Amino acid sequence: MLRTTWRKLIDLYAAATLLWALAWRGFGDRWGLLGMANAWAFWLLGTGTLAGAYSLWRRARWLAGGWLVGGAALLATRYRYLWRRPHPPIPDDDPPDDWSLRVLSFNLLTYDVDPPATLAFLRRVPADLLLFQELSTPMARSIERALPNYPYRYWHPHPNERSGFGVLSRVPFAVTGAWASAYDRQFALRLTLVGPDGPVDVYNIHLLSPAGKDLTRHGFDGNFRLREEQVATVLAEVERRKLPALLMGDHNLTEESDAYRLLSTRLIDVWRQLGHGPGWTWPRSLYVILGKH
């Protein structure tokens, strides 16, 4: 009896993932709930492939084999960066001959509950430009005191929520733009640096969160539409200025969302080009598993 129930549940899950995949490819993030499911596409495709193969195995083994091979091929091609060999790191004391800019983007999130550990990490990072999101006023003061070797800095902590921005730089810059959306929360800050071939724009990004207070305030549909509007605003600025641009920060989206497609059709995803492994930073419960303390 129990075995029969499990088989029925697996059949149901395989059918549900198939229906979801059809809706995903046909409608994208048109509805908020569908968009939330789409954000987990990698997991749904992987588990759906296994569930479908198991379900079909009892009926037609050749069909199950085709399903499994097709699903594996889809995952291997769509997420090929998961299996790419890592590029050798650039030694800290041997930068490339060309002009380079080493950038670290860091959403401080809950890290300010242990400032000594966070500050010790920041001291070890050989970055020319540090970009912070979710910066609280106490953490801004701690970083200010702990990292005096960055001569150029900008602080904009949020007075009520941890959604402020901060910048430390070894390279001169000017703040040339800032954008806020609902509840006066900044979602983008533009810095303009002078490179050897002219100005370069760096955008510090913190898009609307798909969970928590932002989801409660705007609902599923409103949450996705506002995030897409934020992306469109930044892209319009990039195109208007026609300068080399680097977008860094917490985008609060996955590679399967419509907002990501807006970005990736105009800009190059460096992680997709050069990164190794999943690169996921959410959910936070993964930190312990991945050793990200």
Side-chain angles (χ1 to χ4, degrees):
M1 179 65 181
L2 184 60
R3 188 173 182 179
T4 301
T5 301
W6 274 109
R7 285 180 174 177
K8 289 181 178 179
L9 289 174
I10 292 173
D11 290 347
L12 182 62
Y13 182 76
T17 53
L18 178 60
L19 290 174
W20 157 77
L22 293 173
W24 172 43
R25 302 318 299 163
F27 301 104
D29 292 344
R30 184 176 301 178
W31 303 290
L33 283 172
L34 178 58
M36 291 294 286
N38 297 344
W40 297 88
F42 174 80
W43 307 99
L44 291 173
L45 288 172
T47 56
T49 296
L50 294 175
Y54 177 83
S55 181
L56 291 171
W57 185 261
R58 306 192 310 270
R59 298 168 173 84
R61 294 189 176 184
W62 65 269
L63 190 57
W67 177 283
L68 186 61
V69 170
L74 176 62
L75 287 168
T77 53
R78 193 173 190 88
Y79 302 98
R80 61 174 63 91
Y81 56 91
L82 292 174
W83 295 273
R84 183 190 295 125
R85 289 186 177 182
H87 287 254
I90 299 173
D92 297 346
D93 57 352
D94 186 22
D97 295 333
D98 297 334
W99 183 79
S100 64
L101 183 70
R102 299 181 183 184
V103 183
L104 170 69
S105 172
F106 194 160
N107 184 326
L108 292 165
L109 200 59
T110 59
Y111 286 96
D112 61 2
V113 301
D114 188 9
T118 302
L119 298 174
F121 166 76
L122 292 174
R123 290 190 191 99
R124 296 194 303 269
V125 174
D128 304 303
L129 182 64
L130 295 171
L131 304 177
F132 300 108
Q133 306 89 40
E134 296 206 28
L135 178 69
S136 65
T137 300
M139 197 60 182
R141 292 171 182 157
S142 298
I143 296 173
E144 173 79 20
R145 292 191 299 266
L147 298 172
N149 55 332
Y150 286 87
Y152 308 101
R153 48 194 64 209
Y154 172 83
W155 302 113
H156 188 274
H158 196 287
N160 300 317
E161 298 180 23
R162 288 179 301 190
S163 56
F165 284 123
V167 180
L168 291 178
S169 178
R170 304 186 198 277
V171 182
F173 68 86
V175 176
T176 57
W179 294 267
S181 57
Y183 300 93
D184 194 33
R185 170 177 161 178
Q186 241 182 44
F187 67 87
L189 175 74
R190 183 176 62 223
L191 317 171
T192 301
L193 294 72
V194 179
D197 299 319
V200 176
D201 285 339
V202 178
Y203 291 81
N204 192 356
I205 304 292
H206 188 195
L207 302 182
L208 201 68
S209 171
K213 291 182 179 179
D214 288 337
L215 181 60
T216 302
R217 288 166 176 166
H218 307 296
F220 284 105
D221 289 348
N223 188 281
F224 275 82
R225 301 295 82 79
L226 283 171
R227 193 177 304 106
E228 290 161 7
E229 289 176 15
Q230 291 174 342
V231 167
T233 297
V234 174
L235 287 175
E237 283 294 311
V238 172
E239 294 184 352
R240 180 183 67 82
R241 288 173 64 82
K242 302 186 185 304
L243 293 174
L246 176 65
L247 273 65
M248 302 283 291
D250 182 357
H251 291 72
N252 272 319
L253 49 84
T254 72
E255 67 272 21
E256 302 301 350
S257 65
D258 289 349
Y260 175 84
R261 278 185 281 278
L262 286 174
L263 286 167
S264 60
T265 54
R266 316 274 185 90
L267 304 170
I268 297 172
D269 184 345
V270 177
W271 185 266
R272 283 246 170 160
Q273 296 296 317
L274 301 174
H276 168 72
W280 301 314
T281 58
W282 185 86
R284 279 181 290 170
S285 57
L286 290 175
Y287 289 179
V288 176
I289 299 173
L290 299 177
K292 294 183 178 181
H293 300 293

